[in-house]
């Protein structure tokens, strides 16, 4: 079994083993489908938008953001809490369980290894089938916090994550399409009464909120991304917000690594401004 919680919920691919799901003409030796799907959920795990994407929904020069699956303990640790604290509600993340005929298992894994090469690794967890309530073991791909593509700030800074997803584009398409397609899947699944994982039946609040924020950014605001490093003598890197009237003379820190700052301005809709917006801004000293 394969558990999909991201793009596999809505895009198994146009080719390959998982694309056989739902094709009645593909039958195994015993007359059963080679690949079937069923809604299910990972209990104790949370969908987190914290994985950089340079090969699907972004580029090496401007990474997009896609989701990963973290345990509740991993999330609490990233938020500065106690990973073993059991006082918080247990997360429940909705997804799709693929059951693959054993004859196709090796081919399926080879295809997924390539698809999920951007920082994801195999893991096996318990998942619950929504229809039967049965707990089964399933393999999945997830980017843990120690993988090089993990972006902790995106997890903790939702406006930044939304701004990135509102503009990023990669070989597999627009970043916002990935987000909105997953949000549509979760919303439709909630309407079908498939899960008790939260107010929108998706098991996470972030996906819907990010979708709303992306829509607002694309309609009402224009995001700019500043990348700076080096001396910050005059507060020019905006590490502590906008400089004071005294040109930021208060003590500021040096930036020994590239720092990312999000600057958002209202869209005024003037035709003469279209096509003249800066692509990126760089500051340093």
């Amino acid at each position: 079994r394969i558990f999909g919680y991201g793009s596999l919920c809505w895009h198994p691919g146009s080719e390959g083993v998982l694309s056989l799901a739902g094709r009645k003409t593909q039958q195994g030796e015993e007359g059963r489908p080679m690949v079937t799907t069923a809604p299910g959920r990972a209990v104790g795990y949370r969908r987190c938008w914290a994985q950089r994407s340079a090969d699907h929904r972004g580029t090496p020069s401007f990474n997009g953001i896609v989701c990963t699956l973290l345990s509740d303990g991993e999330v609490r640790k990233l938020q500065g809490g106690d990973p073993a604290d059991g006082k918080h509600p247990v997360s429940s993340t909705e997804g799709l369980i693929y059951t693959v005929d054993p004859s196709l298992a090796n081919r399926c894994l080879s295809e997924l290894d390539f698809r999920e090469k951007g920082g994801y690794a195999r893991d096996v967890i318990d998942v619950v089938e929504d229809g039967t309530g049965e707990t089964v073991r399933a393999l999945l791909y997830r980017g843990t916090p120690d993988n090089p593509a993990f972006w902790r700030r995106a997890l903790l800074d939702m406006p930044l994550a939304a701004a990135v997803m509102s503009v990023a584009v990669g070989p597999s398409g627009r970043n916002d399409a990935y987000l909105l397609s997953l949000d549509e899947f979760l919303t439709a699944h909630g309407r079908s009464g498939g899960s008790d994982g939260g107010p929108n039946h998706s098991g996470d609040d972030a996906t819907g909120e990010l979708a709303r924020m992306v829509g607002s950014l694309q309609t009402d605001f224009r995001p700019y991304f500043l990348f700076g490093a080096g001396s910050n003598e005059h507060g020019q890197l905006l590490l502590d917000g906008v400089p004071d009237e005294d040109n930021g003379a208060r003590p500021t820190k040096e930036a020994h690594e590239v720092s990312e700052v999000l600057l958002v301005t209202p869209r005024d809709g003037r035709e003469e401004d279209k096509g003249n917006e800066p692509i990126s801004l760089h500051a340093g000293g």
Side-chain angles (χ1 to χ4, degrees), residues 15-264:
E15 299 178 352
V17 171
L18 297 186
S19 70
L20 301 178
R23 296 188 187 181
K24 296 180 180 180
T25 57
Q26 299 294 334
Q27 302 291 321
E29 295 180 358
E30 300 177 1
R32 52 187 171 78
M34 301 283 276
V35 181
T36 61
T37 62
R41 59 191 185 275
V43 179
Y45 287 84
R46 187 182 307 181
R47 183 183 292 106
C48 297
W49 294 88
Q51 188 76 2
R52 294 180 185 268
S53 177
D55 58 344
H56 283 298
R57 299 293 166 169
T59 63
S61 61
F62 192 89
N63 297 173
I65 299 175
V66 291
C67 61
T68 182
L69 196 69
L70 301 182
S71 69
D72 286 342
E74 288 171 327
V75 174
R76 283 194 291 270
K77 183 176 181 180
L78 290 166
Q79 294 173 336
D82 181 0
D85 185 358
K87 298 179 181 179
H88 299 276
V90 177
S91 298
S92 176
T93 295
E94 278 299 321
L96 209 56
I97 302 172
Y98 290 81
T99 300
V100 180
D101 189 272
S103 65
L104 298 176
N106 288 336
R107 177 183 162 194
C108 181
L109 290 176
S110 178
E111 293 170 354
L112 288 174
D113 283 346
F114 179 78
R115 174 172 173 156
E116 309 295 347
K117 63 184 183 296
Y120 292 88
R122 296 181 189 179
D123 199 355
V124 178
I125 66 170
D126 289 336
V127 294
V128 180
E129 293 182 347
D130 287 343
T132 65
E134 180 184 359
T135 298
V136 298
R137 299 287 281 173
L139 182 143
L140 79 162
Y141 289 76
R142 69 188 191 101
T144 55
D146 58 355
N147 90 87
F150 189 82
W151 194 6
R152 180 175 180 266
R153 181 177 173 186
L155 174 66
L156 304 178
D157 189 347
M158 193 174 291
L160 174 66
V164 169
M165 286 189 277
S166 72
V167 297
V169 181
S172 295
R174 296 171 58 94
N175 203 166
D176 61 348
Y178 175 106
L179 169 68
L180 297 176
S181 295
L182 183 54
D183 185 51
E184 289 174 3
F185 167 85
L186 295 172
T187 301
H189 183 70
R191 291 199 188 104
S192 69
S195 170
D196 58 0
N200 64 353
H201 301 281
S202 69
D204 74 74
D205 298 323
T207 300
E209 180 62 22
L210 283 168
R212 289 186 287 272
M213 293 176 71
V214 165
S216 177
L217 279 164
Q218 293 175 334
T219 303
D220 303 320
F221 300 96
R222 182 176 289 114
Y224 296 100
F225 303 88
L226 289 74
F227 301 89
S231 171
N232 194 36
E233 180 181 358
H234 302 292
Q236 68 268 32
L237 301 187
L238 303 181
L239 297 180
D240 300 307
V242 179
D244 295 331
E245 294 181 358
D246 61 357
N247 198 31
R250 65 184 185 280
T252 54
K253 60 183 178 181
E254 297 288 311
H256 299 289
E257 298 180 355
V258 174
S259 298
E260 299 157 320
V261 177
L262 171 64
L263 178 65
V264 177

